Amino acid sequence: MLLLIHNCEGVSVTTEKKTIYMDNSATTPVRKEVVEEMLPYMTENFGNPSSIYEIGKISKHAIDKARKKVADALGSEENEIYFTSGGTESDNWAIKGIAFANRSKGKHIITSSIEHHAVLHTCAWLEGQGFEVTYLPVDKYGIVSPEEVKKAIRDDTILISIMLANNEIGTIQPVEEIGKIAKESRIYFHTDAVQAIGHVPIDVNKMNIDLLSLSGHKFEGPKGCGALYIQKGTKIDTFLHGGAQERKRRAGTENVPAIVGLGKAIELATAEIEESNKTLLELRGRLVKGLLKIPKAHLNGHPTKRLANNVNITFEYIEGESLLLLLNAKGIFASTGSACNSFSLEPSHVLTACGVPHEIVHGSLRLSLGRMNSEQDVDRVLEAVPEIVQKLRNMSPLTPKEYRTS
Amino acid sequence: MDYSLKVMDHFSNPRNMGSIENSDGVGEVGNAKCGDIMKIYLKVENNRIADVKFQTFGCGAAIASSSMATEMIKGKTLEEAWKLSNKAVAEALDGLPPIKMHCSMLAEEAIHEAINDYLKKRGLETWDE
């Protein structure tokens, strides 16, 4: 695919070669099979699932079918799956819903310092509402220690929320162990599994998970649709009030086409985990090996306990936004944890929590692989990155002489 | 970031990039913690900036501002160079996204530092804002 790169003046230039998308942790394209399943629910099958006539029933059945697919992917019951507008809503609902429904029992929540902002900012808001939150540290690989979780538990702890896999560095957490600790202490356990679906096999019962957030567009489903798994019997408040949709727990006319798409996408992604991870691991290995040949480059996150599609590397002496712009000019799309690339002007809280020094935290590059990426793509990235890193190092006042070429 | 064509041009093909050996004045501002460092080297002859080079660690806007600012002060008297405002640099770049305006500020400050370093080395009184 050749692509026109636009700038704010509407001027566009064509990239010389096929563009390479390596930002699959940001979002993914919707799979063709998924689009095909969705289409009829935008046109002929447009009925409101709450209506009793025929086309209403067709929509309702489609949602039921999708719900079954999500339940199968998680090893849960169908009536434990609630569709939402995405990962952010699922995280908000899980955390606020548990907090307020259980505040007579306690006001303490345990989470980690590397959670997604949908969790961290929700917790920060709850602190303003009188709740108390412990933000657990992580080791240099970004792993939360189950021991630390245990130690943080108080008599008034009502919720533990630890993500399954991190969005920036891909680190996979010991969720099963943490879930066991939560269960033994009779504390609700929520996990943000937004990045994990399609990469890590999940069984909510085996992993002792009470609540799990997921988002369709991270596994080749549509944007604007996610789900929250809520184990039967969990005491949780309703988040969106209104109609009787989603067993009266999440009001609002269902986004039928998106729900159908999410169902199909999770079915495909889950069925293909093993095969897809095998391919991704090979590509990841090649990418990491090649990039670490660049001097003063460091892999962020754990070498093996990480998502098969995640590569996150810091290059000393350079800044990430510059790196992304030069990659973009070559038709390569990636991400960074640099402050300069964020609207908050704050560097990545994840890399900072892992102890990456402030001086080099800005030089991180995240490449997240997807099904569309090939070995040729990896090789082109391996050709482009060293050249760009060198160009920026030659420009930087921080670069020592031995790492300059001009 | 939605950058103007001018920003992208100066970022991709920076002018006056490098350092000057035996420069007459050097100014360095910003810090690595914030993700921006700008270093400006001056060669001064007869009170004029005969040559200027920069080294920058930072985002696209920081690099483009360095490139544009050095272009704008080359050949100017020290007084003229002192007066270069960050607004003028941003305007010459056809604007910067609001969140990136501080990058053009760095260029103004680095030039001031470099001029004062030159004055100090000559035993002259430094200038204030």
mmCIF file of all heavy atoms in Angstrom, chain A residues 94-122:
data_model
loop_
_atom_site.group_PDB
_atom_site.id
_atom_site.type_symbol
_atom_site.label_atom_id
_atom_site.label_comp_id
_atom_site.label_asym_id
_atom_site.label_seq_id
_atom_site.Cartn_x
_atom_site.Cartn_y
_atom_site.Cartn_z
ATOM 1 N N ALA A 94 -15.577 -0.689 35.963
ATOM 2 C CA ALA A 94 -15.109 -1.699 36.919
ATOM 3 C C ALA A 94 -14.653 -1.036 38.212
ATOM 4 O O ALA A 94 -15.066 -1.435 39.312
ATOM 5 C CB ALA A 94 -13.966 -2.497 36.296
ATOM 6 N N ILE A 95 -13.829 -0.012 38.092
ATOM 7 C CA ILE A 95 -13.196 0.554 39.287
ATOM 8 C C ILE A 95 -14.170 1.430 40.089
ATOM 9 O O ILE A 95 -14.318 1.267 41.304
ATOM 10 C CB ILE A 95 -11.923 1.329 38.873
ATOM 11 C CG1 ILE A 95 -10.914 0.339 38.266
ATOM 12 C CG2 ILE A 95 -11.307 2.050 40.068
ATOM 13 C CD1 ILE A 95 -9.755 0.980 37.551
ATOM 14 N N LYS A 96 -14.850 2.343 39.395
ATOM 15 C CA LYS A 96 -15.817 3.195 40.119
ATOM 16 C C LYS A 96 -16.990 2.366 40.618
ATOM 17 O O LYS A 96 -17.482 2.570 41.733
ATOM 18 C CB LYS A 96 -16.329 4.309 39.204
ATOM 19 C CG LYS A 96 -15.269 5.343 38.844
ATOM 20 C CD LYS A 96 -15.840 6.356 37.849
ATOM 21 C CE LYS A 96 -14.744 7.246 37.294
ATOM 22 N NZ LYS A 96 -15.218 8.063 36.157
ATOM 23 N N GLY A 97 -17.424 1.431 39.794
ATOM 24 C CA GLY A 97 -18.576 0.604 40.155
ATOM 25 C C GLY A 97 -18.324 -0.229 41.404
ATOM 26 O O GLY A 97 -19.178 -0.337 42.277
ATOM 27 N N ILE A 98 -17.129 -0.819 41.476
ATOM 28 C CA ILE A 98 -16.780 -1.613 42.665
ATOM 29 C C ILE A 98 -16.588 -0.680 43.864
ATOM 30 O O ILE A 98 -17.065 -0.952 44.985
ATOM 31 C CB ILE A 98 -15.486 -2.436 42.414
ATOM 32 C CG1 ILE A 98 -15.737 -3.531 41.391
ATOM 33 C CG2 ILE A 98 -14.940 -3.008 43.728
ATOM 34 C CD1 ILE A 98 -16.625 -4.672 41.853
ATOM 35 N N ALA A 99 -15.880 0.423 43.629
ATOM 36 C CA ALA A 99 -15.573 1.334 44.737
ATOM 37 C C ALA A 99 -16.848 1.805 45.438
ATOM 38 O O ALA A 99 -16.976 1.686 46.661
ATOM 39 C CB ALA A 99 -14.768 2.523 44.210
ATOM 40 N N PHE A 100 -17.791 2.314 44.660
ATOM 41 C CA PHE A 100 -18.986 2.887 45.292
ATOM 42 C C PHE A 100 -19.932 1.823 45.847
ATOM 43 O O PHE A 100 -20.587 2.045 46.869
ATOM 44 C CB PHE A 100 -19.706 3.831 44.322
ATOM 45 C CG PHE A 100 -18.978 5.141 44.166
ATOM 46 C CD1 PHE A 100 -18.259 5.431 43.012
ATOM 47 C CD2 PHE A 100 -18.965 6.069 45.204
ATOM 48 C CE1 PHE A 100 -17.560 6.629 42.894
ATOM 49 C CE2 PHE A 100 -18.271 7.267 45.090
ATOM 50 C CZ PHE A 100 -17.563 7.550 43.931
ATOM 51 N N ALA A 101 -19.983 0.668 45.179
ATOM 52 C CA ALA A 101 -20.890 -0.376 45.676
ATOM 53 C C ALA A 101 -20.371 -1.017 46.963
ATOM 54 O O ALA A 101 -21.129 -1.629 47.704
ATOM 55 C CB ALA A 101 -21.093 -1.445 44.599
ATOM 56 N N ASN A 102 -19.067 -0.881 47.205
ATOM 57 C CA ASN A 102 -18.484 -1.570 48.368
ATOM 58 C C ASN A 102 -17.890 -0.622 49.401
ATOM 59 O O ASN A 102 -17.079 -1.022 50.224
ATOM 60 C CB ASN A 102 -17.407 -2.552 47.885
ATOM 61 C CG ASN A 102 -18.000 -3.646 47.009
ATOM 62 O OD1 ASN A 102 -18.552 -4.618 47.512
ATOM 63 N ND2 ASN A 102 -17.926 -3.459 45.710
ATOM 64 N N ARG A 103 -18.289 0.648 49.307
ATOM 65 C CA ARG A 103 -17.610 1.595 50.203
ATOM 66 C C ARG A 103 -17.980 1.428 51.672
ATOM 67 O O ARG A 103 -17.255 1.894 52.552
ATOM 68 C CB ARG A 103 -17.788 3.031 49.739
ATOM 69 C CG ARG A 103 -19.145 3.638 49.958
ATOM 70 C CD ARG A 103 -19.223 4.997 49.341
ATOM 71 N NE ARG A 103 -20.519 5.107 48.706
ATOM 72 C CZ ARG A 103 -21.040 6.227 48.263
ATOM 73 N NH1 ARG A 103 -20.355 7.327 48.330
ATOM 74 N NH2 ARG A 103 -22.232 6.244 47.740
ATOM 75 N N SER A 104 -19.088 0.699 51.925
ATOM 76 C CA SER A 104 -19.412 0.459 53.338
ATOM 77 C C SER A 104 -18.417 -0.558 53.924
ATOM 78 O O SER A 104 -18.180 -0.619 55.116
ATOM 79 C CB SER A 104 -20.835 -0.068 53.471
ATOM 80 O OG SER A 104 -20.971 -1.257 52.736
ATOM 81 N N LYS A 105 -17.804 -1.334 53.027
ATOM 82 C CA LYS A 105 -16.842 -2.349 53.460
ATOM 83 C C LYS A 105 -15.435 -1.754 53.600
ATOM 84 O O LYS A 105 -14.649 -2.178 54.461
ATOM 85 C CB LYS A 105 -16.832 -3.472 52.431
ATOM 86 C CG LYS A 105 -16.187 -4.745 52.936
ATOM 87 C CD LYS A 105 -16.069 -5.786 51.820
ATOM 88 C CE LYS A 105 -14.850 -6.667 52.074
ATOM 89 N NZ LYS A 105 -14.215 -7.131 50.853
ATOM 90 N N GLY A 106 -15.134 -0.791 52.747
ATOM 91 C CA GLY A 106 -13.796 -0.207 52.809
ATOM 92 C C GLY A 106 -13.577 0.841 51.751
ATOM 93 O O GLY A 106 -14.408 1.027 50.868
ATOM 94 N N LYS A 107 -12.430 1.511 51.844
ATOM 95 C CA LYS A 107 -12.173 2.598 50.897
ATOM 96 C C LYS A 107 -10.807 2.482 50.244
ATOM 97 O O LYS A 107 -10.323 3.408 49.621
ATOM 98 C CB LYS A 107 -12.293 3.942 51.627
ATOM 99 C CG LYS A 107 -11.340 4.041 52.801
ATOM 100 C CD LYS A 107 -11.420 5.368 53.494
ATOM 101 C CE LYS A 107 -10.450 5.346 54.674
ATOM 102 N NZ LYS A 107 -10.460 6.496 55.510
ATOM 103 N N HIS A 108 -10.197 1.304 50.370
ATOM 104 C CA HIS A 108 -8.830 1.155 49.867
ATOM 105 C C HIS A 108 -8.753 0.335 48.581
ATOM 106 O O HIS A 108 -9.357 -0.726 48.476
ATOM 107 C CB HIS A 108 -7.953 0.505 50.948
ATOM 108 C CG HIS A 108 -6.518 0.369 50.554
ATOM 109 N ND1 HIS A 108 -5.843 -0.823 50.602
ATOM 110 C CD2 HIS A 108 -5.643 1.295 50.105
ATOM 111 C CE1 HIS A 108 -4.585 -0.621 50.191
ATOM 112 N NE2 HIS A 108 -4.434 0.646 49.885
ATOM 113 N N ILE A 109 -7.987 0.878 47.621
ATOM 114 C CA ILE A 109 -7.808 0.219 46.328
ATOM 115 C C ILE A 109 -6.313 0.033 46.091
ATOM 116 O O ILE A 109 -5.516 0.919 46.410
ATOM 117 C CB ILE A 109 -8.414 1.093 45.194
ATOM 118 C CG1 ILE A 109 -9.928 1.207 45.375
ATOM 119 C CG2 ILE A 109 -8.072 0.536 43.814
ATOM 120 C CD1 ILE A 109 -10.573 2.289 44.535
ATOM 121 N N ILE A 110 -5.952 -1.117 45.513
ATOM 122 C CA ILE A 110 -4.541 -1.368 45.170
ATOM 123 C C ILE A 110 -4.422 -1.455 43.652
ATOM 124 O O ILE A 110 -5.194 -2.174 43.001
ATOM 125 C CB ILE A 110 -4.038 -2.691 45.799
ATOM 126 C CG1 ILE A 110 -4.113 -2.607 47.330
ATOM 127 C CG2 ILE A 110 -2.609 -2.993 45.337
ATOM 128 C CD1 ILE A 110 -3.874 -3.949 48.025
ATOM 129 N N THR A 111 -3.479 -0.724 43.114
ATOM 130 C CA THR A 111 -3.218 -0.822 41.674
ATOM 131 C C THR A 111 -1.710 -0.697 41.474
ATOM 132 O O THR A 111 -0.951 -0.739 42.442
ATOM 133 C CB THR A 111 -4.028 0.238 40.885
ATOM 134 O OG1 THR A 111 -3.872 -0.009 39.486
ATOM 135 C CG2 THR A 111 -3.589 1.655 41.187
ATOM 136 N N SER A 112 -1.261 -0.576 40.231
ATOM 137 C CA SER A 112 0.183 -0.445 40.005
ATOM 138 C C SER A 112 0.489 0.885 39.341
ATOM 139 O O SER A 112 -0.393 1.543 38.799
ATOM 140 C CB SER A 112 0.689 -1.587 39.125
ATOM 141 O OG SER A 112 0.514 -1.265 37.761
ATOM 142 N N SER A 113 1.759 1.243 39.373
ATOM 143 C CA SER A 113 2.166 2.534 38.818
ATOM 144 C C SER A 113 2.292 2.497 37.303
ATOM 145 O O SER A 113 2.556 3.523 36.680
ATOM 146 C CB SER A 113 3.499 2.963 39.444
ATOM 147 O OG SER A 113 4.398 1.886 39.410
ATOM 148 N N ILE A 114 2.109 1.339 36.682
ATOM 149 C CA ILE A 114 2.269 1.282 35.221
ATOM 150 C C ILE A 114 0.945 1.008 34.498
ATOM 151 O O ILE A 114 0.934 0.659 33.324
ATOM 152 C CB ILE A 114 3.307 0.234 34.779
ATOM 153 C CG1 ILE A 114 2.883 -1.189 35.192
ATOM 154 C CG2 ILE A 114 4.678 0.564 35.340
ATOM 155 C CD1 ILE A 114 3.532 -2.246 34.348
ATOM 156 N N GLU A 115 -0.165 1.174 35.197
ATOM 157 C CA GLU A 115 -1.468 0.948 34.555
ATOM 158 C C GLU A 115 -1.712 1.982 33.459
ATOM 159 O O GLU A 115 -1.088 3.040 33.424
ATOM 160 C CB GLU A 115 -2.593 1.058 35.596
ATOM 161 C CG GLU A 115 -2.545 0.034 36.702
ATOM 162 C CD GLU A 115 -2.691 -1.399 36.222
ATOM 163 O OE1 GLU A 115 -3.634 -1.680 35.469
ATOM 164 O OE2 GLU A 115 -1.864 -2.232 36.606
ATOM 165 N N HIS A 116 -2.669 1.667 32.615
ATOM 166 C CA HIS A 116 -3.115 2.629 31.595
ATOM 167 C C HIS A 116 -3.763 3.816 32.302
ATOM 168 O O HIS A 116 -4.284 3.681 33.406
ATOM 169 C CB HIS A 116 -4.141 1.935 30.689
ATOM 170 C CG HIS A 116 -4.498 2.732 29.480
ATOM 171 N ND1 HIS A 116 -5.489 3.678 29.505
ATOM 172 C CD2 HIS A 116 -3.992 2.737 28.226
ATOM 173 C CE1 HIS A 116 -5.584 4.233 28.297
ATOM 174 N NE2 HIS A 116 -4.691 3.679 27.513
ATOM 175 N N HIS A 117 -3.761 4.975 31.643
ATOM 176 C CA HIS A 117 -4.358 6.161 32.259
ATOM 177 C C HIS A 117 -5.842 5.982 32.575
ATOM 178 O O HIS A 117 -6.370 6.631 33.478
ATOM 179 C CB HIS A 117 -4.151 7.385 31.373
ATOM 180 C CG HIS A 117 -2.744 7.917 31.472
ATOM 181 N ND1 HIS A 117 -2.073 8.454 30.391
ATOM 182 C CD2 HIS A 117 -1.898 7.986 32.519
ATOM 183 C CE1 HIS A 117 -0.854 8.813 30.789
ATOM 184 N NE2 HIS A 117 -0.728 8.543 32.061
ATOM 185 N N ALA A 118 -6.516 5.101 31.836
ATOM 186 C CA ALA A 118 -7.940 4.856 32.117
ATOM 187 C C ALA A 118 -8.116 4.300 33.526
ATOM 188 O O ALA A 118 -9.143 4.509 34.169
ATOM 189 C CB ALA A 118 -8.529 3.895 31.090
ATOM 190 N N VAL A 119 -7.104 3.598 34.020
ATOM 191 C CA VAL A 119 -7.133 3.085 35.393
ATOM 192 C C VAL A 119 -6.552 4.131 36.357
ATOM 193 O O VAL A 119 -7.163 4.472 37.367
ATOM 194 C CB VAL A 119 -6.356 1.751 35.505
ATOM 195 C CG1 VAL A 119 -6.138 1.359 36.959
ATOM 196 C CG2 VAL A 119 -7.097 0.642 34.757
ATOM 197 N N LEU A 120 -5.383 4.654 36.013
ATOM 198 C CA LEU A 120 -4.701 5.588 36.924
ATOM 199 C C LEU A 120 -5.513 6.857 37.185
ATOM 200 O O LEU A 120 -5.627 7.308 38.323
ATOM 201 C CB LEU A 120 -3.325 5.960 36.369
ATOM 202 C CG LEU A 120 -2.274 4.849 36.405
ATOM 203 C CD1 LEU A 120 -0.968 5.340 35.783
ATOM 204 C CD2 LEU A 120 -2.030 4.363 37.832
ATOM 205 N N HIS A 121 -6.054 7.450 36.129
ATOM 206 C CA HIS A 121 -6.806 8.691 36.315
ATOM 207 C C HIS A 121 -8.146 8.438 37.016
ATOM 208 O O HIS A 121 -8.654 9.300 37.724
ATOM 209 C CB HIS A 121 -6.991 9.419 34.975
ATOM 210 C CG HIS A 121 -5.690 9.964 34.432
ATOM 211 N ND1 HIS A 121 -5.594 10.587 33.206
ATOM 212 C CD2 HIS A 121 -4.451 9.985 34.967
ATOM 213 C CE1 HIS A 121 -4.324 10.952 33.012
ATOM 214 N NE2 HIS A 121 -3.611 10.593 34.062
ATOM 215 N N THR A 122 -8.705 7.257 36.803
ATOM 216 C CA THR A 122 -9.928 6.886 37.521
ATOM 217 C C THR A 122 -9.621 6.771 39.014
ATOM 218 O O THR A 122 -10.368 7.280 39.863
ATOM 219 C CB THR A 122 -10.486 5.551 36.976
ATOM 220 O OG1 THR A 122 -10.778 5.728 35.590
ATOM 221 C CG2 THR A 122 -11.744 5.122 37.707
#
